[in-house]
Amino acid sequence: MNDAVRDDSLRLAQPADAHSQEEWEAATAAVLRKSGRLTSDDADSLVWDKLTRTSLDGLRIAPLGLPEASFADAARPARSGPWDIRSLVSGLSGMDAKAANEAALVDLDGGVSSLWVAADETTDLAVLLDKVLLDLAPIVLDAPVGAVKVAQGLLTLVAERGTGLHAATNLGADPMGALLRDLPLAPDEAFAELVDLARLAEGIGVRAIVVDATAAHDIGASDVQELGWSIAVGVAYLRALTEAGFSPAVAAALIEFRYAATDEQFPTIAKLRAARQLWSRVLELSGAEGVEMRIHAVSSRPMLSKYDPYVNMLRGTVAAFAAGVGGADAVTVLPFDSANGVPDGFGRRIARNVSHLLIDESHVAAVADPAGGSFAVEKLTADMAAAGWEAFIQLEEEWTGANAVGGHDFSPFRDRIAAVVAEREKAIARRKRPITGLTEFPNLAETLPERPADPLNERAVRYGASFEALRDTPTTGKVFLATIGTVAQHTARATFATNLLAAGGIGVEVAGATSDAEELAGKYRSAGAPPVVCLAGSDKTYAAWGVDAIAALREAGATHVIIAGKPDAVDAEVDDAASMGVDALAFLTATREKLA
């Protein structure tokens, strides 16, 4: 078949539906001109600048992908068919091993295919893994401190049962992840244990190491920083093992990678695809080509919200979809109530069923690399891979510096993460990165699920934690919402102000429809004359009697007057203003102080 025939066979659009880039720009520009985002004098090509957003890593994410020749050369996800549905069970100090065992058995009976076991030296694995068929269900240990003792406990249990371990079992050593989490660990001893566990794992035909990139993600790292960390740590482990006598191929086969999957669908897909490209390049340079990279994706713990936790079901579903499309070999969806403590049975059931629905109902796993060929995904993958390689090289240079402690200096990396955290929190504070149920559409009347404390939550700082802190201690006093005009006239700004105040744990007393300043002042006095009032109305009503309303409210006892809108929306002095783009965290903190 010649090239012309092959190209024609792949053209799915009818000739009438085939359009050029210029036609797309013209059609898109027409829409933006109607909304006022482009003027009649602006060139159509400016739509790219108007619709392109920039990630926390500085990557430009365009509204539409365009073909590039470099896409064809990239290493791609090869998994076809269902991914390994992996559930998390915890036997950490203070946790009930029997309850964890019951949860694990229910999960396995419900279709989970492997267990991710958080453990420490106090964990009773015999109880936690009772009745678990270890030769059928892979066990991936997660013991940042005491990894050798926990692994030995698993092997002792296997010996007592006279059975074997599934080949996908992983003893879970990750000393650098533990060090990044500031856990008490001596680097030299930890790397010596890493080699010991690798020898042990090789002897029984299982894996030994997990490069847990969520150690970086959980403290606020961006996607590119998470990628750079994972590749740098993977290379460090390869060096340690090859120096101990392992061949590069054998060493690489002992390693598994873990990444966070967030509700940002396309960046998650691109991150996992980029990870394969980067690791493929490392193995090529190391002489270990042909060793498959195994990726375990887990839904992000920082993205979960403690308030309105049921929204986490949607976040987890998007994350699982992105992980599956991105080619993850194993996927863990954290239960929706994980941020509230130890998840209950319902939360665990929903979590594992997300993968079942994606695999069995939506057939997401039926095709290898389903995002392949999407120019937008390919471009984002290529950009993320390039930035991730630069982040890896930067870590390599820092870790070989003369001032490195134990061979690895994490301080510059932590500083870069802190800068990303500050940028992210600024966007969250201004509600440019909205968190449904927390910074947007909060429900002050909700009752949170009561769950036992979970030490795993201490590993991560949730996005919007500052808002959660405000909600944890709601104010007793309320803001008087001084709505002026008819319901139709004040609803838009009243709703905005109510939601904004609720995000800080502040309730409102609503005046309702009012016709003049005297009526408004009367309703204010009937509400107990609280010190803080928020004026909410349309521009027309503000102009008509906003000045009189503020004067009447001050005369009736208001000491802090807020206006919903710009500060100059009313030709009178106000104490604060609430509008789109306001630093909500600073505004809410100041308002709470006035209510105290």
Side-chain angles (χ1 to χ4, degrees):
M1 181 181 294
N2 62 43
D3 290 342
V5 174
R6 183 171 64 250
D7 287 345
D8 288 340
S9 70
L10 294 175
R11 298 181 188 278
L12 303 181
Q14 295 295 320
D17 296 323
H19 300 285
S20 67
Q21 179 178 328
E22 289 74 17
E23 288 177 298
W24 178 85
E25 289 174 354
T28 307
V31 175
L32 293 186
R33 290 190 179 101
K34 288 182 180 179
S35 65
R37 297 184 64 183
L38 279 181
T39 68
S40 57
D41 296 329
D42 290 330
D44 291 348
S45 59
L46 286 178
V47 297
W48 294 100
D49 291 333
K50 293 294 183 180
L51 297 178
T52 294
R53 65 184 180 90
T54 303
S55 72
L56 289 171
D57 294 303
L59 301 181
R60 288 172 57 84
I61 303 177
L64 193 69
L66 299 175
E68 291 189 13
S70 61
F71 294 160
D73 301 325
R76 300 180 178 280
R79 192 214 74 239
S80 62
W83 54 80
D84 172 4
I85 304 173
R86 183 171 296 171
S87 70
L88 172 62
V89 292
S90 176
L92 296 174
S93 179
M95 304 293 288
D96 186 343
K98 181 61 177 175
N101 171 253
E102 293 173 356
L105 293 177
V106 171
D107 282 347
L108 291 167
D109 188 54
V112 161
S113 46
S114 68
L115 296 178
W116 171 17
V117 180
D120 55 30
E121 294 182 352
T122 68
T123 303
D124 189 340
L125 289 177
V127 174
L128 195 153
L129 297 177
D130 184 35
K131 298 180 182 178
V132 174
L133 302 180
L134 302 178
D135 54 339
L136 298 181
I139 305 297
V140 178
L141 296 178
D142 183 358
V145 179
V148 170
K149 184 172 182 180
V150 173
Q152 289 174 339
L154 176 62
L155 298 183
T156 299
L157 178 62
V158 171
E160 291 174 351
R161 292 189 184 180
T163 184
L165 287 170
H166 191 284
T169 294
N170 197 315
L171 302 184
D174 184 27
M176 293 185 70
L179 290 170
L180 185 63
R181 294 185 191 274
D182 275 331
L183 296 176
L185 209 64
D188 293 339
E189 295 178 7
F191 268 80
E193 291 181 349
L194 178 85
V195 173
D196 291 340
L197 283 175
R199 289 197 176 101
L200 187 62
E202 184 191 17
I204 58 176
V206 300
R207 297 186 178 92
I209 299 168
V210 173
V211 176
D212 190 356
T214 66
H217 175 84
D218 287 350
I219 61 175
S222 66
D223 291 325
V224 167
Q225 288 172 334
E226 187 181 348
L227 273 177
W229 167 264
S230 69
I231 301 305
V233 172
V235 168
Y237 292 161
L238 277 182
R239 286 199 182 105
L241 295 182
T242 53
E243 288 172 2
F246 291 85
S247 70
V250 170
L254 293 171
I255 301 174
E256 180 176 352
F257 290 77
R258 180 178 297 136
Y259 293 98
T262 73
D263 55 358
E264 293 186 330
Q265 173 179 311
F266 290 107
T268 294
I269 294 171
K271 178 172 66 178
L272 299 185
R273 297 175 86 249
R276 291 192 184 278
Q277 294 181 18
L278 297 180
W279 190 241
S280 174
R281 178 58 174 158
V282 167
L283 296 185
E284 178 186 351
L285 296 173
S286 304
E289 292 179 274
V291 178
E292 290 291 332
M293 181 187 195
R294 184 166 179 82
I295 292 179
H296 170 208
V298 53
S299 58
S300 165
R301 194 175 289 273
M303 80 172 176
L304 300 180
S305 62
K306 180 171 69 173
Y307 287 91
D308 202 354
Y310 301 98
V311 179
N312 292 331
M313 294 185 192
L314 303 179
R315 297 182 180 113
T317 300
V318 174
F321 173 84
V325 170
D329 301 288
V331 176
T332 297
V333 178
L334 296 179
F336 75 91
D337 51 347
S338 294
N340 301 93
V342 179
D344 70 358
F346 176 69
R348 298 183 70 89
R349 177 186 176 189
I350 293 296
R352 63 178 180 263
N353 282 351
V354 167
S355 283
H356 289 315
L357 288 170
L358 291 172
I359 293 170
D360 299 320
E361 300 291 339
S362 301
H363 305 289
V364 172
V367 177
D369 191 23
S374 164
F375 296 142
V377 174
E378 298 282 14
K379 171 63 174 172
L380 185 55
T381 299
D383 289 347
M384 200 171 287
W389 189 262
E390 291 180 5
F392 154 58
I393 295 300
Q394 187 173 17
L395 285 171
E396 280 277 278
E397 292 173 350
E398 291 167 355
W399 291 352
T400 56
N403 296 323
V405 177
H408 303 93
D409 182 6
F410 296 159
S411 299
F413 183 60
R414 286 195 176 102
D415 290 342
R416 291 194 292 275
I417 290 177
V420 167
V421 169
E423 185 178 349
R424 181 190 291 114
E425 288 304 307
K426 180 180 178 181
I428 291 173
R430 294 184 178 277
R431 304 203 296 178
K432 293 182 178 180
R433 293 178 69 93
I435 303 175
T436 303
L438 184 61
T439 66
E440 300 285 343
F441 311 112
N443 176 16
L444 287 183
E446 73 175 309
T447 301
L448 294 181
E450 294 184 5
R451 303 286 185 267
D454 188 348
L456 289 173
N457 281 332
E458 298 173 6
R459 292 185 176 184
V461 178
R462 288 192 295 277
Y463 304 150
S466 298
F467 283 89
E468 288 191 351
L470 296 179
R471 291 285 299 277
D472 288 344
T473 55
T475 61
T476 53
K478 293 184 176 182
V479 168
F480 180 74
L481 193 58
T483 47
I484 65 174
T486 64
V487 171
Q489 289 173 323
H490 69 237
T491 289
R493 281 186 169 137
T495 301
F496 171 82
T498 300
N499 284 331
L500 174 60
L501 292 166
I506 304 170
V508 296
E509 188 75 34
V510 185
T514 55
S515 57
D516 54 37
E518 183 178 350
E519 181 183 8
L520 180 63
K523 291 188 175 184
Y524 171 70
R525 294 187 187 93
S526 299
V532 181
V533 301
C534 179
L535 204 67
S538 65
D539 288 339
K540 179 181 276 190
T541 52
Y542 280 166
W545 54 283
V547 173
D548 294 338
I550 291 174
L553 290 166
R554 289 197 186 278
E555 184 178 350
T559 59
H560 189 75
V561 177
I562 303 166
I563 186 167
K566 299 295 183 182
D568 58 357
V570 175
D571 188 17
E573 183 179 350
V574 294
D575 301 297
D576 208 344
S579 60
M580 293 295 293
V582 68
D583 185 333
L585 193 61
F587 168 80
L588 293 170
T589 301
T591 303
R592 287 168 64 97
E593 290 173 354
K594 297 298 181 180
L595 284 170

